[in-house]
Amino acid sequence: MSLPEIAKLGHVALVTPDIEKSLWFFRDVIGLEVTEEVNGTHYLRAWGDFEHHSLSLTAGDSGYVDHIAWRTKRPEDVEGFAQLLEKAGTEVRWIEAGEETGQGRAIRFKLPSQHSFEIYYDVEKPKADEKRRSVLKNQTYKAWARGCSPRRFDHVNIATSMDVGEILDYLGSQLGFKLREYVKYHQKTVVAGWMSVTPLVHDIAVISRPQAETPNQLHHISYWHDNAQDILRAADILKENGINFIGPGKHGVSQAFYLYVIDPGSGCRVELFSGSYLIFEPDWEPVEWTEEEHSIGNTYWGDSVMDKEMNKPTIKA
């Protein structure tokens, strides 16, 4: 019997104390499409996302991530992960079909850092209504309908006050993520790691923040644009809407072209992301960055403020 496998990053469920401001930001400025609104929760996706949603927004007393969700390769993998996780001592809670709009039965559990993960397979893939539908049959919505208009959901970056190496080991041994790049201090302490289950350099990153108030913090969520010119266009759109940002710049780790912006409603940081490289090698050796090289890995070129201001957690995850 084959081991269960995660296929891809699915969505992030975000709680915000100012739902109208967050909805304006993600819908009108970032340019996500609203799939539907059910019982006060707004479900959104980018114009190239196929699943029911890659982001949900729900009103709450504070800004935080309710869960980060991953889709498996096969329906039976959800049960498979439940069994493996429980055997390893992780408490698993089942989410029945219909409890989360657009999604089938799922499991939820916490990493050792207390970040909440969800694993599912069954999901709706609704077509866009005729007014918003692309003439391209392999694309969900018309591109450039509004705002910065990213193509798809790309990755998440979580922060923790715990030992990063422990979290990376858990993601690898329990969930099958592969380490692609990492930063090591003093030749022994891993302070950041980038992992994936796809050819992307990272579907998830984990970074150390020893002074964080809780071990489960969010650094950012990320949406993908086709090219660097799209990021420059996004910078103009953000500025026209009175929103400040950091970048554009280029990371050494992942080689991505980026800018960072904060949702004014929830406090969630969003990275608009392009470039990077893909990994197809089955024997890939993780790339190590030393403490001396970390500044290159973080900001190869671009805004130096990145290291001081944007390298902090934003909200609880």
Side-chain angles (χ1 to χ4, degrees), residues 1 17-18 42 69 71 123 127 138 145 157 178 181 184 188 200 211 228 259 275-276 281 294 312 315:
M1 182 176 179
D18 193 331
H42 300 263
R71 192 179 188 212
V123 66
K127 293 185 179 295
N138 53 9
N157 186 317
K178 296 177 181 178
E181 303 195 37
K184 182 181 283 189
K188 61 179 181 180
L200 299 178
Q211 306 306 317
L259 66 77
S276 192
E281 306 306 314
H294 191 189
K312 303 173 183 176
I315 56 178

Side-chain angles (χ1 to χ4, degrees), residues 181-227:
E181 303 195 37
Y182 65 98
V183 178
K184 182 181 283 189
Y185 279 10
H186 314 302
Q187 298 183 335
K188 61 179 181 180
T189 304
V190 176
V191 298
W194 289 258
M195 306 186 82
S196 68
V197 290
T198 68
L200 299 178
V201 177
H202 62 311
D203 298 302
I204 186 170
V206 185
I207 59 175
S208 174
R209 291 299 175 263
Q211 306 306 317
E213 293 181 1
T214 67
N216 52 322
Q217 299 280 315
L218 178 74
H219 189 273
H220 66 264
I221 65 174
S222 178
Y223 277 88
W224 168 268
H225 290 259
D226 285 346
N227 55 59

Side-chain angles (χ1 to χ4, degrees), residues 244-286:
N244 293 323
F245 53 87
I246 294 296
K250 182 176 180 178
H251 293 308
V253 172
S254 81
Q255 299 185 30
F257 194 60
Y258 71 87
L259 66 77
Y260 289 98
V261 60
I262 301 282
D263 165 29
S266 68
C268 173
R269 181 183 294 120
V270 179
E271 181 181 33
L272 302 182
F273 189 84
S274 188
S276 192
Y277 66 96
L278 299 174
I279 297 172
F280 298 105
E281 306 306 314
D283 57 349
W284 178 263
E285 292 292 331

Side-chain angles (χ1 to χ4, degrees), residues 79-194:
E79 178 68 41
F81 273 118
Q83 293 178 8
L84 286 180
L85 290 166
E86 288 176 334
K87 186 176 181 179
T90 298
E91 182 179 350
V92 170
R93 179 168 67 94
W94 280 94
I95 306 298
E96 296 303 324
E99 287 188 45
E100 182 169 349
T101 300
Q103 181 181 292
R105 200 166 186 242
I107 59 171
R108 287 189 194 165
F109 59 96
K110 292 185 182 296
L111 305 188
S113 57
Q114 299 304 297
H115 291 88
S116 182
F117 273 20
E118 178 178 81
I119 290 178
Y120 66 95
Y121 177 81
D122 291 321
V123 66
E124 294 177 13
K125 296 183 179 181
K127 293 185 179 295
D129 59 70
E130 288 190 16
K131 290 183 178 180
R132 294 187 291 167
R133 188 179 305 167
S134 173
V135 297
L136 292 170
K137 298 179 74 173
N138 53 9
Q139 182 173 305
T140 311
Y141 295 94
K142 298 173 183 177
W144 308 112
R146 67 172 65 81
C148 302
S149 196
R151 174 183 286 268
R152 59 170 174 81
F153 196 31
D154 191 82
H155 68 264
V156 293
N157 186 317
I158 60 176
T160 184
S161 56
M162 290 184 59
D163 176 10
V164 166
E166 179 182 348
I167 309 307
L168 297 177
D169 287 344
Y170 184 93
L171 291 170
S173 62
Q174 301 301 312
L175 301 177
F177 285 88
K178 296 177 181 178
L179 184 63
R180 304 306 196 176
E181 303 195 37
Y182 65 98
V183 178
K184 182 181 283 189
Y185 279 10
H186 314 302
Q187 298 183 335
K188 61 179 181 180
T189 304
V190 176
V191 298
W194 289 258

